[in-house]
Amino acid sequence: MLRLGRREFAPHERVIMAIVNRTPDSFYDQGATFRDEPALARVEQAVAEGAAIIDVGGVKAGPGEEVSAEEEVRRTVGFVAEVRRRFPDVIISVDTWRHEVGEAVCEAGADVLNDAWGGVDPRLAEVAARHGAGLVCTHAGGAEPRTRPHRAAYDDVMADILEVTLGLAERAVSLGVPRESVMIDPGHDFGKNTRHSLEATRRLGEMVATGWPVLVSLSNKDFVGETLDRPVKERVVGTLATTAVSAWLGAQVYRVHEVAETRQVLDMVSSIAGDREPAVARRGLA
């Protein structure tokens, strides 16, 4: 059972985490939700379309202008508090690697800390434990935050993913993070080239077999773009194909930009797998 905020999810439930970037330079939307009202409208739309989790980010993942911890707090804390006020039942996640930011957003009402940089700040897990928050434990291949991979190499990329994410997850639990609130993430594109990310997807079942809930962040990433030779705005089809494969292999949480489309893909996979009844079943019955 995955427990986040006020919600519990059975192992067969496929959960959407909607991305809301509080940055002026995000790679996908170029700052469309940097201001409060567009960002709050995005939250409302995402919830209406089937997102259970809102993932708030105050620093873009790639290289760019330096963002201090103080500025990251300024971009995220007030927004988290307002989302909590307007949407009391939604699960709020914050994408950060810094413990100072984690402390501030948890005090404002965040339920999950999404550590996309593989525990580079070990105190972040301590913050999650102190606040009873969930934690995403990600494989980033030892990369420093906001850097791109350069000639990344692994003897066995999935073996490395498992060693790192399971180690981070067990450490988090030992510190007091609720076991049922810890997720592991293979970290597509983080510290990896395109072939590594494809192999991580192909072997995702090995992560699922560990028993930890698996989160995948696939949405419009470079490995999709390079595989199909498509720019950022033309990666939705490839993303949804990868989402369907990941769902079939057992991933549970999906960090996405396109909520409505992802919900349809996940519902279709769930119905094929026998975990969900068709919304309508009239064919051949009249």
Side-chain angles (χ1 to χ4, degrees):
M1 184 69 69
L2 175 63
R3 183 177 292 114
L4 303 171
R6 301 181 181 183
R7 300 281 302 276
E8 291 185 351
F9 303 95
H12 69 271
E13 291 187 75
R14 295 168 173 90
V15 182
I16 292 179
M17 171 188 275
I19 300 166
V20 179
N21 289 315
R22 302 287 292 151
T23 60
D25 53 355
S26 54
F27 91 100
Y28 186 68
D29 60 26
Q30 289 81 51
T33 53
F34 184 49
R35 293 187 299 110
D36 287 349
E37 287 310 313
L40 289 165
R42 160 70 174 160
V43 173
E44 184 173 10
Q45 178 186 11
V47 171
E49 291 177 346
I53 308 169
I54 299 298
D55 190 52
V56 180
V59 184
K60 78 170 186 176
E65 182 179 346
E66 182 179 354
V67 180
S68 67
E70 292 76 16
E71 174 61 15
E72 188 180 354
V73 165
R74 189 189 69 79
R75 293 178 179 183
T76 56
V77 169
F79 183 72
V80 167
E82 184 62 15
V83 172
R84 173 55 68 226
R85 186 184 73 81
R86 295 196 190 189
F87 305 91
D89 295 326
V90 77
I91 301 162
I92 301 174
S93 168
V94 175
D95 181 353
T96 186
W97 74 89
R98 293 164 162 152
H99 75 274
E100 306 98 321
V101 178
E103 189 76 50
V105 296
C106 283
E107 290 177 356
D111 304 298
V112 179
L113 297 176
N114 179 10
D115 181 8
W117 290 103
V120 68
D121 181 347
R123 294 176 64 184
L124 189 65
E126 298 172 12
V127 171
R130 187 159 55 251
H131 289 274
L135 184 68
V136 181
C137 299
T138 307
H139 179 273
E144 288 295 314
R146 306 193 66 193
T147 61
R148 299 196 188 281
H150 179 69
R151 300 193 183 280
Y154 302 93
D155 292 333
D156 182 328
V157 67
M158 182 50 73
D160 204 84
I161 289 169
L162 290 171
E163 180 180 1
V164 170
T165 58
L166 297 184
L168 291 170
E170 291 293 353
R171 176 181 181 270
V173 172
S174 73
L175 291 171
V177 180
R179 179 173 287 271
E180 62 274 17
S181 302
V182 175
M183 295 160 278
I184 58 174
D185 177 355
H188 289 80
D189 275 1
F190 281 59
K192 301 171 187 67
N193 61 33
T194 289
R195 289 185 175 86
H196 293 144
S197 292
L198 291 171
E199 182 172 351
T201 307
R202 187 164 58 248
R203 297 174 62 185
L204 204 62
E206 295 176 44
M207 296 188 75
V208 174
T210 67
W212 295 97
V214 175
L215 179 150
V216 287
S217 183
L218 311 167
S219 196
N220 302 294
K221 283 195 168 179
D222 285 347
F223 83 96
V224 174
E226 287 193 356
T227 298
L228 301 177
D229 193 17
R230 290 289 184 270
V232 169
K233 294 297 184 180
E234 297 178 17
R235 297 175 184 177
V236 175
V237 173
T239 296
L240 295 176
T242 313
T243 298
V245 170
S246 300
W248 189 255
L249 292 175
Q252 186 165 16
V253 182
Y254 300 79
R255 183 178 180 272
V256 306
H257 297 98
E258 287 82 19
V259 174
E261 294 88 341
T262 303
R263 187 71 270 164
Q264 289 187 52
V265 169
L266 296 180
D267 286 349
M268 193 69 198
V269 172
S270 294
S271 294
I272 293 169
D275 298 325
R276 173 186 178 274
E277 289 295 317
V280 176
R282 292 188 293 261
R283 182 173 173 81
L285 300 178

